[in-house]
């Protein structure tokens, strides 16, 4: 039995108003049918408590390194970050759902990544100075909606979201990576875009 963690980084609450959320629903439905005994957990980075690395967190980290006591606010934030990290580490598979914002990931997803991309927890520095991921053997699927087309053409190289997520996951040892795109929704036939993405989601989920 495996554990799938769905990381919802879409600010919309209505599934019907979001291409990526609709595709994610298709993915999860197919996955659940294929893997009825697996556990599926979801974290919503917009509605769940995901701490930002701010002055409170930096102060807490400094105190922990020096063996000093934390304030109650620092304890609360560090404790919550620990919960998010442990949930992430306990999963075997990941689905990240997001819209493309200005060629990159939403800021709240970056906050989430700052909670789980932690040295000596999900990756480590070797004696040679290289980075080694500590979460090998896991897999990830990214479901992304975008108004433009970025899988090919002149804008493919400036779509930093895909490149960044692939790099971050690989840094943690998660190299089995797939991206499912609902792209071109601003100028292509929306129903055709959605149907194509859902078919891909079903295909990926069936083997995930």
């Amino acid at each position: 039995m495996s554990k799938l963690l769905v990381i919802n980084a879409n600010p919309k609450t209505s599934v019907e108003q979001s291409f990526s959320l609709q595709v994610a629903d298709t993915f999860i439905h197919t996955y659940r049918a294929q893997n009825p005994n697996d556990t599926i957990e979801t974290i919503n980075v917009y509605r769940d408590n995901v701490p930002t690395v701010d002055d409170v967190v930096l102060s807490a980290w400094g105190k922990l390194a020096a063996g000093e006591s934390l304030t109650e606010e620092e304890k609360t934030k560090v404790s919550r970050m620990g919960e998010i990290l442990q949930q992430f580490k306990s999963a075997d598979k990941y689905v990240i759902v997001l819209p493309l914002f200005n060629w990159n990931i939403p800021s709240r997803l970056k906050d989430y990544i700052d909670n789980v991309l932690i040295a000596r927890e999900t990756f480590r520095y070797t004696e040679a100075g290289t980075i080694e991921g500590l979460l090998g053997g896991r897999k990830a699927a990214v479901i992304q909606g975008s108004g433009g087309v970025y899988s090919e053409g002149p804008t493919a190289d400036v779509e930093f979201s895909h490149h960044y997520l692939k790099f971050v996951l690989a840094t943690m040892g998660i190299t089995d990576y797939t991206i499912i795109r609902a792209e071109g929704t601003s100028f292509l036939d929306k129903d055709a875009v959605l149907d194509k993405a859902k078919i891909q989601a079903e295909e990926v989920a069936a083997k995930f």
Side-chain angles (χ1 to χ4, degrees), residues 4 8 15 34 58 85 89 92 117 137 143 154 157 162 166 172-173 185 207:
L4 171 67
N8 183 355
V15 173
Q34 294 288 328
L58 293 175
L85 174 62
K89 289 175 64 177
D92 305 288
L117 189 62
I143 298 174
D157 289 340
H162 160 59
K166 187 175 183 179
M172 295 186 283
T185 58
K207 302 176 182 178

Side-chain angles (χ1 to χ4, degrees), residues 7 45 74 76 86 89 122 130 135 142 149 160 174 181:
I7 304 163
V45 303
E74 290 169 346
T76 298
Q86 293 309 313
K89 289 175 64 177
T122 52
T130 59
L135 302 183
V142 171
V149 172
F160 301 109
I174 307 167
R181 300 178 188 266

Side-chain angles (χ1 to χ4, degrees), residues 161-178:
S161 169
H162 160 59
H163 299 294
Y164 174 71
L165 288 174
K166 187 175 183 179
F167 170 77
V168 164
L169 291 166
T171 296
M172 295 186 283
I174 307 167
T175 56
D176 189 336
Y177 170 96
T178 304

